[in-house]
Amino acid sequence: MTTDTVSDPAASLIEPPISTAVAISYLRVSTREQASKGGTDEGFSIPAQREAVRRKADQLGAAIVEEFVDAGASAKSADRPELMRMIQYVKANKVAYRIVHKVDRLARNRADDVTIHLALQQAGVLLVSATENIDETPSGMLLHGIMSTIAEFYSRNLATEVTKGMTQKAIGGGTLGKAPIGYFNVRIRDDQGREVRTVELDPERAPLIEWAFKAYASGNWTVSQLHDELASRGLVSLPTPKRPSKPLAVSSVHRLLINPYYKGDVVYRGTRYKGTHTALVAPEVWYQVQSVLTAHKTAAEATQVHDHYLKGTIHCGQCGSRLMSPTPRTATATSTATLCAPVGTQNAPIAHAERS
């Protein structure tokens, strides 16, 4: 007997065969704050999910060949970039397992959960949860449905509680979310050591915002002119970890001029409340700005009438249509042309008369 034909019955115990099972993983956190917590690109949750998923893959004897991460994407919507890419990936590649940390990483409503699960099931991919006993058996599918329903309840209940808390905060005059330019969101400690989130004036930008309101209230500025002047005075947005400071857009200047926050109010769900923050402009100045904005808008939208001495009295000798007299304007001159638009056709207007 040659050595080639000798097999060691214990060899498979010492060196188990390499698995050919292919797996993919999907990781998700709901908010950008979670994704950047701790000053890192992924925060704490993503690495923790990745480690749990890796251990599960090891238990299955599978190799994770592709990872899909939606950082700061809510599961209330299935329209997530990496989720969509994952579905396309399994359609084009043979994959045995799709491993998630928990089923609520995929979806937090039953409709999306069923849609996503069916799409991946049709591609021959088995759903595996690193922390839940989910499989394709009847009991596993039952547990999957229960966990998905619980996830939907949690999401809806959380939204209700958040709305309740936000409403109460607005009633108390608190700032909801990020304060507008001219203010800082800050965290301080009270006498008992509790964290309090509040806002303070931005010493660099607040004076420029105050000047902008007073200047526009005079009626001598347009929004575009005000924008240019603010840019020349150095007004720029607050930098973020991913976006540097930059001058405001014209639309941003218009939005700040109509924002009642600057006169001391906070608005939530269409209701205005008296804020506890420091107002940058007096109410009478803010209301004067609104009047000027309305006046400028009305003037811009006013219909301009250009009468022509032959208007409504002459008709085209070729088709009988009434002649029109538009007044096109250029940067250097104004010209008048008499045009004919044939009735009942798609033809372009035809010039018939003199141009001055």
Side-chain angles (χ1 to χ4, degrees):
M1 183 179 295
T2 64
T3 56
D4 294 335
T5 60
V6 176
S7 61
D8 184 355
S12 61
L13 300 178
I14 301 171
E15 298 178 359
I18 299 175
S19 173
T20 57
V22 174
I24 59 173
S25 65
Y26 179 74
L27 317 175
R28 181 188 66 81
V29 291
S30 300
T31 65
R32 291 292 180 185
E33 289 76 11
Q34 287 177 292
S36 59
K37 187 170 288 186
T40 65
D41 291 337
E42 293 187 330
F44 299 129
S45 181
I46 292 294
Q49 291 181 46
R50 180 181 293 117
E51 179 60 24
V53 167
R54 185 195 62 77
R55 288 197 303 267
K56 190 64 176 181
D58 290 343
Q59 293 174 10
L60 296 170
I64 297 177
V65 298
E66 192 75 16
E67 181 181 86
F68 303 88
V69 182
D70 274 316
S74 172
K76 290 189 292 184
S77 170
D79 188 17
R80 287 165 265 155
E82 286 295 277
L83 177 63
M84 295 296 101
R85 191 170 75 87
M86 180 183 71
I87 293 175
Q88 294 303 318
Y89 181 89
V90 299
K91 289 180 179 179
N93 300 274
K94 186 173 179 59
V95 176
Y97 302 110
R98 165 198 49 166
I99 308 176
V100 295
H101 183 245
K102 296 173 66 176
V103 294
D104 68 1
R105 297 301 88 191
L106 281 174
R108 280 198 167 166
N109 70 72
R110 285 292 290 144
D112 285 345
D113 178 77
V114 170
T115 301
I116 295 168
H117 187 62
L118 284 177
L120 297 176
Q121 193 177 53
Q122 289 169 0
V125 183
L126 181 66
L127 170 65
V128 176
S129 170
T131 58
E132 300 153 335
N133 189 23
I134 301 296
D135 54 37
E136 297 296 325
T137 64
S139 59
M141 293 299 293
L142 174 62
L143 180 60
H144 181 182
I146 292 172
M147 298 305 297
S148 180
T149 301
I150 291 173
E152 180 174 17
F153 165 77
Y154 173 82
S155 178
R156 290 178 179 271
N157 185 64
L158 179 62
T160 300
E161 293 301 315
V162 168
T163 299
K164 187 189 302 180
M166 295 282 276
T167 301
Q168 190 58 44
K169 185 175 182 179
I171 292 173
T175 298
L176 306 173
K178 184 180 179 181
I181 187 168
Y183 293 88
F184 284 137
N185 288 84
V186 296
R187 299 182 182 186
I188 60 176
R189 297 283 178 179
D190 63 12
D191 295 338
Q192 299 181 6
R194 295 172 300 189
E195 182 181 84
V196 178
R197 299 185 181 187
T198 184
V199 296
E200 294 179 352
L201 291 175
D202 180 342
E204 179 183 346
R205 296 171 178 81
L208 293 175
I209 301 298
E210 183 180 7
W211 173 85
F213 272 94
K214 292 179 178 179
Y216 196 80
S218 70
N220 298 324
W221 297 76
T222 65
V223 175
S224 181
Q225 292 170 340
L226 191 67
H227 162 265
D228 293 342
E229 180 63 22
L230 287 172
S232 69
R233 293 187 179 213
L235 180 63
V236 293
S237 62
L238 281 172
T240 68
K242 294 186 177 181
R243 295 181 181 178
S245 296
K246 63 179 182 179
L248 302 185
V250 175
S251 58
S252 297
V253 174
H254 181 269
R255 281 195 298 271
L256 75 85
L257 289 175
I258 63 175
N259 192 344
Y261 189 89
Y262 292 106
K263 73 179 182 71
D265 294 342
V266 293
V267 179
Y268 182 61
R269 306 190 77 170
T271 303
R272 190 171 296 185
Y273 305 93
K274 182 62 179 176
T276 57
H277 61 281
T278 302
L280 262 179
V281 297
E284 56 270 20
V285 174
W286 189 87
Y287 284 113
Q288 177 62 23
V289 166
Q290 309 317 300
S291 298
V292 175
L293 284 169
T294 301
H296 285 183
K297 180 180 179 180
T298 303
E301 292 179 349
T303 303
Q304 297 184 10
V305 180
H306 303 284
D307 290 324
H308 190 280
Y309 65 98
L310 295 176
K311 181 178 179 181
T313 62
I314 58 176
H315 295 76
C316 175
Q318 298 178 17
C319 68
S321 298
R322 184 170 57 85
L323 296 182
M324 303 180 301
S325 179
T327 307
R329 295 178 181 271
T330 66
T332 57
T334 299
S335 60
T336 301
T338 305
L339 305 177
C340 166
V343 178
T345 73
Q346 299 299 319
N347 297 333
I350 305 170
H352 285 297
E354 80 283 348
R355 188 177 298 272
S356 58

